[in-house]
Amino acid sequence: MKRIVAETAVMLSLAVIMSLSPYYSWLFVLMSIYSLLTLSWLFMRKAGRISMGHSFLFGFPVFLASAGYSFSSEVSIQLFIAGCALSFVIFYIFAEMTGRTAFVFLTLVFSIFVWVSSPKLVFEKGGYLTGGEVGFSFPTISQKELHILTGGTLTLFYLIYRIIGESRAGYFMRAVGDDETASKAVGIDLRKIKALSILLSGMTAWSAGIIYGLEFGHISPEIFSVEISVFPFIASLIGAGNPFASVLSSFGLVYLSKILNSMYPGLMGIVYAAILILSPKIGWWVYVKGKRLDEKAG
Amino acid sequence: MALNFLVSFFSIALMALLVSTNFRIGKFLNLSLGGLFAAGGYIAYFTPNPVFAALSGLLFGTLLSLAISKICRSVIEATVLSLGAGILIERGLEIVHRSSYYYFVDFDYSTYVILLGAVSYLFVLGIYLSPLGLKMKFVEEDHELAELYGINTGMIFTVTTSLASACAVLAGFLSSGSLAISPTTGFGYLISGIIVSALTAQLRQVGAVHYLALLAISFAAARFMEVLI
């Protein structure tokens, strides 16, 4: 419990320190969005499902909401709720009908499919065409409000993640993640656990999506890009699957992307590619180091 | 109209063939094929030489297969590595040719995709109907057992990945005339290929029958998949 309090205190301190400058406040919001995405990914990972298409869960409801916002706020809210429900159902069906390996492929291919096909959504509004590759506008709020909202959301979902991790449901998720057949044999309801992990993952991702929309005031099909899909995988890989380290690595990756992309646009994409190419080696190295650290701490 | 349909059909069928051979023989989903397709378009713009395009693909495929053999221990690891390789190509293209996001070439060889697709299918079917086909089917069905029986699975894997990569670059080169060339050009083709390949896999066939089914499903799906490409 002490550790959870200390970790939360570190995050809140970062939120306070970064609120002092407008640029760092903007950066904090961006870092928190990606950290929420990583936490969302970890919820699903806990139950043994590695999603490589998390951009769909993150982007789909807010993409629909932004399309609906072209008509009215009410339509936007209704479409957001429909998007949340639909993305949950789709991921649940994927988890039910596939094994672990096929789930990785299916989510990745599906998110790329949505990325490729979403620019086809174009409609006429007031004599102008909206959508396509440009996307749709989205409402914004003041930076101060956004900073508080983001800091609060990140802290809330981090606490939920840690508290659930230590609860009965969290142990069930871990058991299902380790061995589905054995979990079934001891009476764990696999469907309920999978649904719970996807729901928690979805709630985190949907919140991140809304904050993303509020931060940029605009949603384009790039929200489904492969870079966003693979981001939580990379952050978790560097953070050795530890939630706090993964949140910090998400912060670090976003900061690094700002530095590298300002040096040369697109440079961070090369770093992501290099990490993915070396991921089998990095994963092994991080795992061994993590084990050693655990042994020392023990 | 009919010619356009044939170009779309063979483009999808070719990508499905490349995805399928890599998955069945190499045991991984080759996600670098989309990037290689886009690279073919860039080669058409800057160095309009199909031999150079094919050789570049061949070299890349060989390096990719070597990297997978050295580093990866599972299907997921190999797939993630190939995704990284695909992103590396796209970002590399974007960085190197930043002066303009879209490029257009002033020639159109897109009808040659029909020839490339037909030759590729005939080549694969020819192999499966030859004595080598038995070995290939063995590798498809049980990789480890095939290795135990003395089949050089490593060599088959390298040759398959290299040829598939060369074909993807060449397809991108030939299609460039009908496309706005950008780093993400190949994703639509890749996804179409994966969908057709996944649908055909449900029939649970092996060898030449599988590839004939792949061709038939590509034909049936071409009209719907045209939207993606």
Side-chain angles (χ1 to χ4, degrees), chain A residues 50 52 100-101 104-105 108-110 112-113 115-117 120 133 222 226-227 230 233 264-270 272-274 276-281 284, chain B residues 23 28-29 31 67 70-73 75-77 79-81 83-85 87-88 90-92 94-96 98 102 184 187-188 190-191 194-195 227-229:
Chain A
I50 297 174
M52 291 295 270
R100 286 159 198 249
T101 308
V104 178
F105 294 154
L108 177 64
V109 170
F110 186 70
I112 299 176
F113 172 78
W115 181 36
V116 172
S117 47
K120 317 284 178 201
E133 290 196 2
E222 282 306 301
V226 177
E227 271 86 354
V230 298
F233 173 78
Y264 207 100
L267 203 54
M268 192 61 190
I270 302 283
Y272 284 159
L276 286 176
I277 289 170
L278 296 172
S279 62
K281 284 275 178 201
W284 179 82
Chain B
F23 195 77
F28 78 110
L29 184 60
L31 295 170
K70 288 271 178 206
I71 301 177
C72 303
R73 286 162 296 178
V75 182
I76 294 178
E77 284 183 356
T79 303
V80 169
L81 192 150
L83 174 66
I87 294 176
L88 188 68
E90 285 148 31
R91 292 296 151 221
E94 202 179 337
I95 287 173
V96 175
R98 181 151 280 278
Y102 291 113
T184 53
F187 268 117
L190 176 64
I191 289 299
I194 291 173
I195 292 171
V227 176
L228 289 175
I229 59 172

Side-chain angles (χ1 to χ4, degrees), chain B residues 147-186:
Chain B
E147 210 161 56
L148 281 175
Y149 275 83
I151 295 172
N152 190 347
T153 54
M155 196 266 287
I156 290 176
F157 169 60
T158 305
V159 170
T160 309
T161 313
S162 305
L163 286 179
S165 303
C167 263
V169 180
L170 208 51
F173 180 93
L174 296 173
S175 304
S176 60
S178 60
L179 298 169
I181 302 161
S182 79
T184 53
T185 306

Side-chain angles (χ1 to χ4, degrees), chain A residues 8-205:
Chain A
T8 313
V10 170
M11 278 197 279
L12 287 173
S13 307
L14 266 174
V16 172
I17 293 166
M18 293 184 83
S19 68
L20 299 174
S21 133
Y23 171 72
Y24 281 103
S25 172
W26 177 84
L27 197 61
F28 172 78
V29 174
L30 198 62
M31 287 168 162
S32 302
I33 291 167
Y34 282 93
S35 300
L36 281 165
L37 187 64
T38 306
L39 276 179
S40 161
W41 188 87
L42 286 172
F43 267 123
M44 217 175 274
R45 175 72 184 84
K46 208 182 247 306
R49 287 291 187 267
I50 297 174
S51 157
M52 291 295 270
H54 232 61
S55 65
F56 175 74
L57 208 58
F58 165 67
F60 186 65
V62 75
F63 184 74
L64 283 188
S66 64
Y69 189 67
S70 307
F71 298 97
S72 71
S73 302
E74 287 76 22
V75 175
S76 175
I77 293 166
Q78 285 163 5
L79 283 178
F80 179 75
I81 294 166
C84 292
L86 196 60
S87 57
F88 168 77
V89 170
I90 288 172
F91 264 62
Y92 179 72
I93 291 170
F94 284 176
E96 274 295 303
M97 65 186 248
T98 58
R100 286 159 198 249
T101 308
F103 186 80
V104 178
F105 294 154
L106 195 55
T107 49
L108 177 64
V109 170
F110 186 70
S111 72
I112 299 176
F113 172 78
V114 174
W115 181 36
V116 172
S117 47
S118 55
K120 317 284 178 201
L121 182 65
V122 182
F123 51 78
E124 199 180 318
K125 184 85 179 75
Y128 294 99
L129 287 175
T130 50
E133 290 196 2
V134 178
F136 307 96
S137 62
F138 199 74
T140 51
I141 55 174
S142 74
Q143 188 58 42
K144 197 177 171 184
E145 288 168 335
L146 195 59
H147 192 100
I148 294 166
L149 176 72
T150 311
T153 311
L154 180 62
T155 311
L156 176 71
F157 279 107
Y158 184 74
L159 284 173
I160 291 173
Y161 183 87
R162 294 307 304 261
I163 290 165
I164 283 188
E166 301 299 319
S167 71
R168 191 178 155 85
Y171 286 122
F172 281 179
M173 276 188 206
R174 220 179 294 174
V176 172
D178 282 345
D179 193 329
E180 284 191 16
T181 314
S183 306
K184 207 173 179 180
V186 295
I188 296 173
D189 189 337
L190 291 188
R191 284 185 175 173
K192 266 189 194 167
I193 293 300
K194 278 183 199 169
L196 179 68
S197 77
I198 293 169
L199 185 66
L200 288 167
S201 176
M203 282 161 65
T204 319

Side-chain angles (χ1 to χ4, degrees), chain B residues 101-173:
Chain B
Y101 191 75
Y102 291 113
Y103 287 101
F104 298 92
V105 294
D106 52 7
F107 53 82
D108 187 6
Y109 298 145
S110 56
T111 46
Y112 287 97
V113 172
I114 300 171
L115 184 67
L116 179 67
V119 168
S120 302
Y121 268 91
L122 286 174
F123 178 71
V124 170
L125 290 172
I127 283 181
Y128 274 93
L129 295 172
S130 74
L132 186 62
L134 204 60
K135 286 183 180 177
M136 300 290 275
K137 272 194 228 175
F138 201 2
V139 176
E140 262 187 46
E141 286 192 352
D142 198 326
H143 194 265
E144 279 82 18
L145 202 60
E147 210 161 56
L148 281 175
Y149 275 83
I151 295 172
N152 190 347
T153 54
M155 196 266 287
I156 290 176
F157 169 60
T158 305
V159 170
T160 309
T161 313
S162 305
L163 286 179
S165 303
C167 263
V169 180
L170 208 51
F173 180 93

